[in-house]
Amino acid sequence: MKVLVIGPGGREHAIVRSLLEDPNVSEVHAAPGNAGIAKLVPTHAIDGNDPAAVAQLARKLAVDLVVVGPEAPLAAGVSDAVREAGIPVFGPSKAAAQLEASKAFAKEVMAEAGVPTAMARVATNAEEAADALDTFGAPHVVKDDGLAAGKGVVVTNDRAEALAHAQACFDAGGTVVIEEFLDGPEVSLFVLCDGRTTVPLSPAQDFKRIFDNDEGPNTGGMGAYTPLDWAPEGLVQEVIDRVAQPTVDEMARRGTPFVGVLYCGLALTSRGTRVIEFNVRFGDPETQAVLARLKTPLGSLMLAAAKGELDTAEELRWSKDSAVAVVVAAENYPDTPRTGDRITGLKKAESLEGVHVIHAGTTLDEEGRVVSAGGRVLAVVALGSDLVEARERAYDGVELVQLEGSQYRTDIAGKAARGEIRVSTNTGIIPAVKR
Ligand code: AMP
Ligand code: GLY
């Protein structure tokens, strides 16, 4: 099978890497890709957010499957255009992508499907925002209703800061969702969907804030690890039963079936498991860690999802190893990141046992050298027999990568490796069990 992967980031590099390991995949193309992807497969310089351009490229290459990585092309209707061209596509339609593109829409679907989530109110002006903030109390959670690359959310004890964020969204012509604060550890669970059937991947944890100890502003994600030894044993099944399947059923009922990855962003709160958000694609950088452990051929799984045949897919197989991904970000990320700097030490990092490098914001300069071209520049991914070993290997790799001004968190998977994550036993499901 021939596959075309759309997107420029680390998630897409990880997907391409896994597709190349699938014996049923004969050829992979990417658009637009990045420097890391370009080392593996042919890349095509088209606008990946343009539905007509993607459909045209898919037809020209005569691919059997298109995989759409990021949210922007999904929300723009890229999947619809490819499907209309008669080519199977892994990724939801524009209508189904509203689950991520509009937080208000996601809340409506969750309410209809009985999915547990934070209480929330939509506000369209300062008065409504102030009223909602006072109803829920601190800590305040204010979310831009539209797509904001993980950066549209402000969580703060400062009422004035919360109001200022809401006002900035109103000034930009948007609305906000204000909700109750959810305590407890967060989990990312990716669920493959074919419109009817749901197949969960192994859960992961992401690190959203820029600095150690979850300080500083939110980012797209600074690191991830999987599996979660500390997670309650019944967690995945609970999320399928109470979150993913009801949502997929509700989307089908509405005539907008969900095909692709339903990313369930969860908080394991003292009052039970709650959805923080849905995304309609793989998480970045969780994918870099999760796919490193997946042994089932990825292309065949994605094609089965695209064709509505996930019920026939074999049971997923996973490596026994743990995986840790540490993101190296450019200076000044998540603000305006510094770009155009040379990156060295990549080969050295990759020569370490169990280590590989996934590119995100990279490109090649005129001399063919790898230079930074985005906020999150790359992730060093390591497998190890447990989290302690995977972590050590990942950080050994990070230390070999040279990029002026770059920054990374030093605490990715740290608490988990030290056994310090606690889930409240009040979750309504089984307490944490060490597996
Ligand atoms: P979102 O874009 O909705 O994923 O939010 C980004 C991040 O903000 C989440 O991963 C959480 O860390 C935090 N967050 C969002 N909503 C809440 C909430 N209701 N309570 C606590 N933290 C939240
Ligand atoms: N890592 C969070 C996200 O992909 O949205």
Side-chain angles (χ1 to χ4, degrees), residues 103 118 141 143 153 155 179-182 186 208 218 276-277:
K103 292 190 188 283
V141 181
K143 302 186 175 186
V153 179
V155 181
E179 49 183 60
E180 71 174 316
F181 178 78
L182 299 175
E186 288 181 33
K208 288 247 165 65
N218 268 325
I276 292 188
E277 63 163 347

Side-chain angles (χ1 to χ4, degrees), residues 26 30 68 93 104 112 167 174 216 238 325 352 372 387:
S26 52
V68 185
S93 65
E112 197 65 41
Q167 192 58 52
E238 185 204 23
L352 298 179
S372 60
L387 271 184

Side-chain angles (χ1 to χ4, degrees), residues 114-173:
V115 171
T117 183
M119 286 186 293
R121 275 212 220 157
V122 178
T124 57
N125 59 48
E127 205 180 315
E128 286 172 12
D131 194 46
L133 290 174
D134 296 338
T135 303
F136 297 128
H140 302 293
V141 181
V142 181
K143 302 186 175 186
D144 190 341
D145 184 46
L147 287 181
K151 293 174 235 160
V153 179
V154 165
V155 181
T156 177
N157 279 310
D158 182 346
R159 187 173 180 277
E161 189 190 346
L163 268 181
H165 181 56
Q167 192 58 52
C169 296
F170 300 144
D171 291 347

Side-chain angles (χ1 to χ4, degrees), residues 41-56:
V41 301
T43 57
H44 304 267
I46 60 155
D47 177 2
N49 292 339
D50 179 348
V54 174
Q56 194 187 4

